């Protein structure tokens, strides 16, 4: 009776907020030209303030921004740096370029409640906004978006395992991406490739599957018992961001802002797991 080894490697590449279906992670030219998406709040002598997103800055790759300094006036910002906050990053990557006023206002309230550096002024703005006819819809949207972020935000993990092998075949299990909440993230393309093995479903060394709300199981068959089989799985560029970009004011006395983490200079996370099994082979 001969023995062979399967080696299973799971590889998760987390790419920042690109190509997400319905994510809005790239501002359209029409939307980019709009100064304000959301609502204006007039505080009289304290001026008009935006509850929503503002037009892109010169170094935000066409992505819109949210002000986080309500006491100061609008201005240009520096390139800034990435900040890890899974839920804020998820929401900014998905909604910062929305053209919907309610969604933009809801995003701004969530972001500014946490990051605004002038909380007393922001509280005045928010209290005034709550008196408007728009608040009811925005408040409902805030709840929906917060629940969505809690379920779907990172960190994301792809940790495959497999069953005992028999007749050169092994079932690869836990094929899918888990969110920070432990939920299986749906709709992510996972590309699998095999060396010295084929996937039983298509008798090929490559297979692409779309993640679902439960983990997938995929059968793999070794093609050469004398060689080690290797399975590699990686996600496509469809995962939400796990960081947002903080944009300090150029002048120092203007508004700091945030946006989604841009495509340039993104970071990736690589996760590996190696296992060995000894399949039971027919002589």
């Amino acid at each position: 009776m001969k023995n062979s080894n399967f080696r299973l490697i799971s590889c998760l590449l987390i790419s920042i907020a690109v190509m997400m279906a319905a994510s809005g992670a790239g501002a359209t030219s029409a939307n980019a030209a709009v100064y304000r998406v959301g609502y204006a709040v007039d505080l009289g002598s304290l001026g008009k303030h935006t509850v929503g997103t503002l037009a892109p800055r010169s170094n935000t790759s066409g992505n819109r921004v949210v002000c986080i300094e309500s006491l100061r006036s609008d201005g240009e910002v520096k390139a800034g740096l990435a900040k890890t906050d899974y839920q804020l990053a998820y929401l900014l990557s998905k909604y910062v370029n929305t053209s919907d006023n309610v969604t933009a206002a809801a995003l701004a309230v969530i972001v500014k409640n946490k990051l605004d550096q002038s909380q007393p002024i922001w509280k005045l703005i928010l209290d005034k906004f709550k008196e408007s006819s728009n608040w009811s819809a925005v408040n409902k949207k805030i709840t929906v978006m917060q629940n969505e972020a809690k379920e779907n935000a990172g960190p994301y993990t792809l940790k495959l395992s497999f069953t005992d092998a028999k007749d050169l075949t092994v079932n690869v299990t836990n094929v899918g991406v888990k969110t920070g909440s432990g939920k299986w993230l749906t709709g992510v393309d996972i590309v699998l490739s095999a060396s010295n093995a084929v996937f039983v479903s298509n008798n090929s060394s490559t297979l692409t599957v779309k993640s679902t709300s439960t983990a997938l199981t995929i059968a793999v068959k070794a093609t050469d018992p004398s060689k080690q089989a290797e399975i590699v799985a990686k996600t496509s560029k469809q995962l939400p961001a796990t960081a947002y970009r903080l944009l300090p004011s150029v002048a120092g006395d203007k508004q700091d802002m945030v946006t989604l983490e841009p495509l340039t200079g993104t970071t990736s996370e690589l996760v590996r797991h190696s296992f060995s099994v000894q399949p039971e082979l027919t002589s």
Side-chain angles (χ1 to χ4, degrees):
M1 185 92 50
K2 295 181 180 179
N3 291 327
S4 67
N5 289 331
F6 280 87
R7 184 159 65 93
L8 177 62
I9 296 177
S10 66
C11 165
L12 172 58
L13 296 177
I14 296 185
S15 300
I16 303 298
V18 293
M19 296 176 63
M20 277 195 67
S23 71
T28 64
S29 57
N31 191 31
V34 177
Y35 175 73
R36 176 188 296 114
V37 177
Y39 303 99
V41 176
D42 192 344
L43 289 184
S45 61
L46 294 177
K48 287 187 177 181
H49 299 262
T50 295
V51 179
T53 65
L54 299 174
R57 309 292 108 162
S58 61
N59 53 8
T60 60
S61 303
N63 294 305
R64 298 181 65 81
V65 298
V66 177
C67 141
I68 57 166
E69 177 50 278
S70 294
L71 185 62
R72 297 176 178 175
S73 58
D74 194 357
E76 199 51 70
V77 291
K78 301 175 185 177
L81 65 161
K83 293 285 189 178
T84 300
D85 184 307
Y86 298 119
Q87 292 185 25
L88 284 186
Y90 174 89
L91 292 173
L92 283 163
S93 70
K94 190 168 183 182
Y95 295 115
V96 76
N97 290 316
T98 182
S99 59
D100 179 69
N101 289 329
V102 171
T103 301
L107 174 65
V109 172
I110 294 170
V111 170
K112 290 165 78 67
N113 275 348
K114 188 165 188 178
L115 300 180
D116 199 293
Q117 299 164 51
S118 298
Q119 283 295 319
I121 297 298
W122 165 239
K123 187 177 184 302
L124 289 176
I125 297 168
L126 184 58
D127 287 346
K128 183 69 173 179
F129 182 54
K130 288 179 178 180
E131 298 174 2
S132 74
S133 60
N134 298 312
W135 172 246
S136 178
V138 171
N139 193 34
K140 290 177 182 177
K141 188 67 174 178
I142 289 170
T143 301
V144 171
M145 289 169 63
Q146 286 177 325
N147 289 337
E148 178 187 352
K150 287 176 183 177
E151 286 193 354
N152 296 316
Y156 302 105
T157 55
L158 174 60
K159 296 182 179 179
L160 306 184
S161 57
F162 53 82
T163 62
D164 291 339
K166 184 176 182 180
D167 297 335
L168 295 174
T169 301
V170 61
N171 282 325
V172 182
T173 61
N174 288 329
V175 180
V177 178
K178 272 194 173 181
T179 69
S181 70
K183 173 188 173 182
W184 294 101
L185 190 65
T186 62
V188 177
D189 287 338
I190 301 174
V191 182
L192 299 106
S193 58
S195 301
N196 303 316
V198 293
F199 298 99
V200 173
S201 62
N202 63 357
N203 199 38
S204 172
S205 61
T206 59
L207 178 67
T208 299
V209 296
K210 194 172 289 291
S211 66
T212 67
S213 58
T214 58
L216 302 174
T217 298
I218 298 172
V220 181
K221 188 177 183 68
T223 54
D224 187 342
S226 67
K227 294 181 180 179
Q228 190 176 60
E230 179 177 283
I231 311 298
V232 176
K234 63 180 180 179
T235 64
S236 66
K237 296 178 180 179
Q238 291 178 307
L239 296 180
T242 54
Y244 65 88
R245 183 149 289 257
L246 174 64
L247 307 163
S249 164
V250 169
D253 59 351
K254 302 293 184 181
Q255 294 172 342
D256 293 344
M257 300 181 183
V258 295
T259 189
L260 60 83
E261 175 65 3
L263 180 60
T264 55
T266 58
T267 58
S268 298
E269 183 175 338
L270 180 62
V271 182
R272 285 193 177 95
H273 297 281
S274 296
F275 304 89
S276 294
V277 298
Q278 295 183 330
E280 182 180 332
L281 307 180
T282 57
S283 56

